[in-house]
Amino acid sequence: MGKQKIAVLGGGIGSLTTVYGITSKPNWQDDYDITVYQEGWRLGGKCASSRNPDVANRIEEHGLHIFFGFYDNAIKMMRTAYDELERPATAPLASFDTAFKPHSFIAVQEYIDEKWVDWPIFFPTNDQIPGVDANFKEDSVDTPLGMISWLIKELISQLKSNEELQQPHAKTEESPLDSVKDFISDLNPFHHGILDVVSSLESIDKHIEEALKGDLDKIESITETLESILAGGIALLEQLFGPTFGTVTSIRQTLLAVEFGLYVIKGIITNPLLLLNWDAIDHLDFREWMSNNGAPERVTCSAITRSFYDLYLAYPQGNTENSLCGGNVSAGTLLHAYFLACGQYKGAIFWKMQAGMGETVIVPLCQALQKRGVKFEFFSRVTNLGLSSDKTQINNIDIQVQATLKDPGAGYYPFITVKDLDCWPANPNYDQLVQGDQLKEMHVNLESPWSTWQGVETKTLTLGQDFDKVVLGISVGALPYITPELMTASDKWNKMVSTVQSSQTQAMQLWLKPNLEQTGWKMASVVMDGYQDPFNTWADMSQTIDKETWPQNHLPFSIAYFCNNFIDADPIPPFSDHGFPERESLRVKNNAIKWLNENTGYIWPNISNGAGLDWEQLVDLHDRQGEARFDGQFWHAAINPSERYVLSVAGTNKNRITPDGSAFSNLYLTGDWVDNGFLNIGCVESTAVAGLKASQAISGYPERIFYVKG
C-alpha cells in the first residue's frame, strides 16, 4: 500500500494541530502525504493576525487572544514548534519562554448601586510548567469530584494558614473589623472550633480521594455530613449578608466568592451522575443550574458568574443586552472551564503572547510543519464537498482558485519581516501573484465570501487521485454553504450543523500616547472582564509595542485591546450582497466610538473628559482631530461564516460529532465545533484536543493527550 494522501481543509488551529499530531509520528512520511488548503494568504482561522506595513507594521488581530495556564496540549505543541525551528538565542521570539510570559492579575467589574466597582483578583503562581509530560499525572483529578477535592483543599489551606481563626488573641487595639469577626464567631453554625472544622474537612477529603480512585461508595457515606457542613456555611453567609453586604467591598466580595463555591459544591454532591461526568448537566444553562441548587440572584447574577459568560462570549445571536443576568452556556461545560482555568493552571493562570497571535503561534506552527514536509496551498477556497454514489465517503472537493502564482515551482512565500520577525502581512504579497496588481487595485478581501472577486478558476480534487482522507477544519458556521450534500445524506450531520450555534464578534485596538499608569488606571497591567457592553473585555497589551515600528514623533506608550459579541445581522444576507462587510465594519466603528464617548472615564480617568475619551490621547499618524482620530486605530467585525465564535448553548453539545464520527468513512473533523470529549467550548485548548484526536483516529498518534482518558 502506498502513501495515503490527506487533504486538510482550512488552516486554523484545529487543522494545524491535526497535522502536527500526524507528523509527530516517527517516519510519518512513509505513510502519508499531507496538503493543507487555505483560502487567502494566511493561516490561523479565528486566531489569524497580521501586520499593517502602512501603519507602523502594527499588529492587527481578529480579537483578543491569551493562553490559559491549563493549555497543556496547545503549549506542548508550541514548545515543540519553537524547539524544532532552532531560532538563534538573539531572535525576538527565540523560544516558547520568550514568546509567552506569565500573567497573574485580572479584574472583573461589578455594577453596584448604579456604579462600577473593581474586583481585583491575583492568582498565585506555582512551580508547575505548562505543556510538559509530567502534567499527565494531573489528569486523574479532572472531574467534578476532583473539583470538590480542589475546593476543599483550598478551604483547608486557608483555614490552616489563618492564625487568627485558629486561636484567640489579645486585642491590642479596637479595629473596625473586630465587630465583624465577633459577629462571625457568634453566628458560627458549626458549634466547634476551626481545628475541628479542618479535621472534618480532612476526613471528607480522604473519602473524596478514595472516590477519585473509583470507590464512589466513599462519597455516598459522607454526603449527608458534607451537605450539613455546606448548609451551615450557606446559612452563615445568608446571615452575614444582612449586616455586612455592601459595607466593606472586600468582605462582600470574599463572602460572595465563598457562597458561589458552596453552591457549586452543593450542586455537584447532590447529583450522583455529575460526580464523574461534566456533561450530566449540559442540558441546563449554568445560571439555571445554580438557581436550581438554591443560589440567590446575587450569586447567579454576580460578577464572578458573569465574567465567564463574557470570557466565552456566551450570548446567542451576539445579544448582550442582558449580560448582567442573561446569556446561555452549557452548565457542565462552563463548570469544567471554571475548574480548569482557576484550579488546574500551570505556572500562572494566563500566558500572554509577547507579539501578535500570528507571529507568536501561527507562523512557528506553519514553519515547523513546512520543515517536516507538509505542503500548503494558499488561495484555495473550498466551495463544496461531494459524496460518492453510495453516500458513504467524500468523493470530490470543489475549490475556487483565488489567484495563481507567477512562479508555481517556487510556491507562495507568505511572510514579511518586521524587526527580524516573520509575520503575516495584512494583504497578500501581491508581487508573487499573476493577478496581484488587479487584486491590489480593487482592494479585494480574499477572506470574505461577500467579495466581488470570484477567483480565476475552479478545480476539483478527486478521491484516489488527489486525496484518500479528508480533514475538515473549516468551522461550523461555513458548513451549510459547503456541505449541503452531507446534510441531506446524514441526519446526524444535519442536526449538528443546524443546532450548534455561533456568534459574530467585534474587536478594537487602541494605541495611546500615555502609559497605563498615566491613563489613571489604578492597578497593574490587567485582563479585565465584565465591564460595560458592547466592549466588556479589555486587556493591556503594551508588551507588544517594541514589536511594532512607530516613528519617534508618534510613539504609543500603551496599547489596549477590546472585544465582545456582535449582535448578528438580521438576516445574514446572501454572498451576492457585496456591501455587507462594509456595513458591518461601519456598525462596529459606530459601536466603538459611542462606547469610547461614554465609558472610558471609569477605567482611564486621566485621559477622559468626564465619561468619555479625550480623543487627542490616541496615536494617529495622520494627526486628525477629535473623533476622526479613531480612523487611525483598528477595528474588526468577525462576520465571515468560518470566523464566527462557536457557542456552547445548553442542550446543543450532545449534537456535536466526534473527530472520527462523521458517518463518512474518509472524513475526519477538527476544530472548536466538534465533540472533543474534553471541553466543548471555544478556546485554543479545546481546539487542540480535537485536532490531536483527529490525528489519533488517522494515524494512531499521539499515544497520549492531556486531559483525555484512555
Side-chain angles (χ1 to χ4, degrees):
M1 183 177 178
K3 291 184 181 182
Q4 290 189 313
K5 294 182 179 180
I6 302 176
V8 181
L9 309 182
I13 291 289
S15 293
L16 297 178
T17 307
T18 302
V19 176
Y20 158 80
I22 296 170
T23 59
S24 295
K25 184 176 183 178
N27 303 313
W28 71 272
Q29 286 178 302
D30 293 342
D31 299 316
Y32 304 108
D33 182 293
I34 303 174
T35 304
V36 178
Y37 295 90
Q38 170 66 38
E39 73 174 359
W41 67 99
R42 60 180 176 174
L43 304 174
K46 290 186 280 288
C47 295
S49 76
S50 58
R51 296 304 193 98
N52 190 336
D54 296 327
V55 190
N57 288 298
R58 70 183 183 189
I59 298 163
E60 296 178 347
E61 298 275 4
H62 267 61
L64 173 57
H65 303 287
I66 300 174
F67 275 31
F68 272 100
F70 74 86
Y71 284 11
D72 279 306
N73 291 290
I75 290 176
K76 180 179 181 179
M77 177 171 65
M78 295 314 306
R79 289 187 184 280
T80 301
Y82 277 102
D83 288 347
E84 291 183 6
L85 291 179
E86 298 179 307
R87 289 177 172 175
T90 56
L93 302 179
S95 65
F96 173 85
D97 293 320
T98 57
F100 291 81
K101 297 295 183 182
H103 180 92
S104 299
F105 175 59
I106 67 173
V108 297
Q109 297 299 318
E110 296 182 287
Y111 196 64
I112 304 292
D113 297 330
E114 298 187 354
K115 65 180 181 180
W116 292 101
V117 177
D118 292 315
W119 190 334
I121 306 172
F122 287 92
F123 286 85
T125 58
N126 58 52
D127 59 3
Q128 293 179 275
I129 301 172
V132 296
D133 287 350
N135 295 335
F136 280 117
K137 70 179 184 295
E138 302 293 330
D139 291 354
S140 61
V141 301
D142 185 33
T143 63
L145 193 57
M147 185 176 191
I148 295 179
S149 177
W150 167 69
L151 284 170
I152 290 176
K153 284 182 171 63
E154 286 293 307
L155 180 57
I156 291 172
S157 175
Q158 291 298 317
L159 292 174
K160 282 186 172 181
S161 63
N162 193 320
E163 295 181 0
E164 291 184 345
L165 288 174
Q166 293 190 49
Q167 56 188 16
H169 60 283
K171 294 183 181 180
T172 57
E173 183 178 345
E174 188 71 18
S175 162
L177 293 181
D178 285 336
S179 59
V180 175
K181 294 175 183 176
D182 293 341
F183 185 76
I184 292 173
S185 178
D186 292 341
L187 291 178
N188 190 340
F190 301 116
H191 303 298
H192 43 61
I194 292 297
L195 291 178
D196 291 332
V197 175
V198 170
S199 178
S200 296
L201 289 172
E202 288 177 334
S203 176
I204 290 172
D205 190 43
K206 289 179 181 178
H207 285 80
I208 290 175
E209 288 294 331
E210 292 299 316
L212 281 169
K213 298 174 183 177
D215 188 357
L216 290 182
D217 290 339
K218 297 294 184 181
I219 197 71
E220 292 177 5
S221 69
I222 52 104
T223 295
E224 288 188 9
T225 302
L226 186 54
E227 285 183 345
S228 175
I229 291 175
L230 292 176
I234 290 170
L236 171 62
L237 290 169
E238 293 285 353
Q239 296 176 73
L240 287 176
F241 267 119
T244 65
F245 191 82
T247 58
V248 181
T249 296
S250 61
I251 292 177
R252 176 180 52 75
Q253 291 174 343
T254 299
L255 294 177
L256 192 56
V258 171
E259 190 175 24
F260 175 91
L262 290 178
Y263 279 110
V264 165
I265 294 174
K266 178 184 176 183
I268 294 174
I269 66 170
T270 55
N271 185 345
L273 294 178
L274 178 56
L275 287 172
L276 296 175
N277 182 13
W278 301 102
D279 298 344
I281 54 172
D282 264 356
H283 61 288
L284 300 172
D285 168 59
F286 182 78
R287 282 187 166 119
E288 179 185 3
W289 176 72
M290 289 289 281
S291 295
N292 291 348
N293 299 334
E297 188 174 285
R298 65 170 174 267
V299 173
T300 61
C301 296
S302 67
I304 200 169
T305 302
R306 182 197 170 185
S307 64
F308 268 67
Y309 276 70
D310 289 355
L311 175 65
Y312 291 109
L313 302 169
Y315 302 98
Q317 292 83 49
N319 190 341
T320 59
E321 290 180 359
N322 185 27
S323 60
L324 292 178
C325 286
N328 189 303
V329 62
S330 300
T333 296
L334 191 67
L335 185 65
H336 192 188
Y338 269 110
F339 179 40
L340 290 165
C342 301
Q344 294 280 74
Y345 65 83
K346 318 300 191 305
I349 187 170
F350 289 131
W351 289 81
K352 283 178 95 171
M353 288 164 279
Q354 301 303 293
M357 184 78 165
E359 55 266 22
T360 308
V361 175
I362 308 302
V363 168
L365 278 179
C366 176
Q367 291 178 332
L369 294 177
Q370 285 177 322
K371 188 175 180 180
R372 290 182 176 190
V374 176
K375 299 186 288 286
F376 291 87
E377 293 284 344
F378 293 92
F379 310 106
S380 299
R381 171 176 289 161
V382 175
T383 58
N384 186 65
L385 275 66
L387 293 175
S388 58
S389 58
D390 61 1
K391 310 300 181 186
T392 63
Q393 59 184 334
I394 304 301
N395 183 72
N396 53 275
I397 303 166
D398 294 335
I399 290 181
Q400 178 194 93
V401 179
Q402 298 175 297
T404 53
L405 301 178
K406 293 178 179 178
D407 186 355
Y412 179 70
Y413 183 78
F415 309 122
I416 60 173
T417 302
V418 179
K419 289 190 167 182
D420 297 323
L421 194 60
D422 288 336
C423 307
W424 304 97
N427 293 294
N429 289 327
Y430 294 117
D431 59 332
Q432 300 179 44
L433 305 178
V434 174
Q435 300 80 17
D437 291 341
Q438 187 179 4
L439 290 167
K440 183 176 182 180
E441 182 179 350
M442 294 174 62
H443 302 287
V444 173
N445 180 359
L446 292 174
E447 294 177 335
S448 173
W450 285 277
S451 170
T452 58
W453 186 263
Q454 297 302 306
V456 296
E457 63 178 331
T458 298
K459 70 179 180 181
T460 299
L461 307 181
T462 304
L463 177 64
Q465 178 177 331
D466 302 296
F467 67 88
D468 299 293
K469 298 181 183 294
V470 179
V471 174
L472 180 58
I474 299 172
S475 194
V476 67
L479 299 189
Y481 304 101
I482 66 173
T483 65
E485 289 187 46
L486 282 66
M487 294 175 70
T488 300
S490 168
D491 290 340
K492 180 170 71 170
W493 189 271
N494 183 63
K495 193 170 187 178
M496 178 190 68
V497 174
S498 302
T499 61
V500 176
Q501 299 181 37
S502 62
S503 168
Q504 295 184 165
T505 62
Q506 58 189 329
M508 68 170 167
Q509 297 170 217
L510 306 178
W511 287 262
L512 300 166
K513 293 179 181 179
N515 63 33
L516 184 63
E517 182 179 3
Q518 290 168 339
T519 67
W521 173 249
K522 47 194 172 294
M523 291 177 280
S525 178
V526 71
V527 176
M528 189 181 81
D529 215 349
Y531 190 46
Q532 181 65 54
D533 295 313
F535 291 97
N536 57 35
T537 302
W538 159 48
D540 171 42
M541 300 297 283
S542 302
Q543 78 277 6
T544 65
I545 291 175
D546 67 341
K547 306 301 188 302
E548 301 174 343
T549 60
W550 295 93
Q552 288 297 312
N553 60 341
H554 288 87
L555 281 176
F557 284 90
S558 61
I559 300 177
Y561 287 13
F562 294 85
C563 72
N564 195 5
N565 296 83
F566 183 37
I567 295 177
D568 282 356
D570 187 17
I572 303 293
F575 296 150
S576 57
D577 185 352
H578 305 307
F580 178 63
E582 184 176 353
R583 295 197 303 273
E584 293 298 88
S585 179
L586 180 60
R587 189 154 68 97
V588 172
K589 178 183 178 181
N590 290 338
N591 286 348
I593 290 175
K594 183 177 187 296
W595 190 92
L596 292 170
N597 273 323
E598 297 174 354
N599 296 291
T600 63
Y602 173 68
I603 58 174
W604 300 330
N606 293 355
I607 60 169
S608 298
N609 297 317
L613 181 67
D614 174 4
W615 295 100
E616 293 305 308
Q617 302 302 317
L618 295 177
V619 174
D620 177 21
L621 292 182
H622 297 283
D623 291 324
R624 286 162 282 214
Q625 299 300 307
E627 288 183 3
R629 296 182 75 85
F630 185 77
D631 288 341
Q633 312 309 300
F634 179 73
W635 64 95
H636 179 68
I639 62 173
N640 295 336
S642 61
E643 67 177 343
R644 293 170 60 93
Y645 183 85
V646 179
L647 304 176
S648 182
V649 176
T652 65
N653 281 347
K654 64 184 180 183
N655 298 329
R656 296 181 180 219
I657 299 175
T658 60
D660 62 348
S662 74
F664 306 103
S665 61
N666 62 343
L667 178 63
Y668 302 85
L669 313 178
T670 184
D672 59 357
W673 49 278
V674 309
D675 178 7
N676 59 54
F678 160 58
L679 181 70
N680 289 327
I681 207 164
C683 71
V684 168
E685 184 69 355
S686 298
T687 308
V689 170
L692 294 174
K693 293 191 80 171
S695 171
Q696 272 188 341
I698 293 170
S699 67
Y701 211 81
E703 296 176 350
R704 300 178 70 184
I705 301 173
F706 292 109
Y707 305 110
V708 175
K709 309 300 187 292

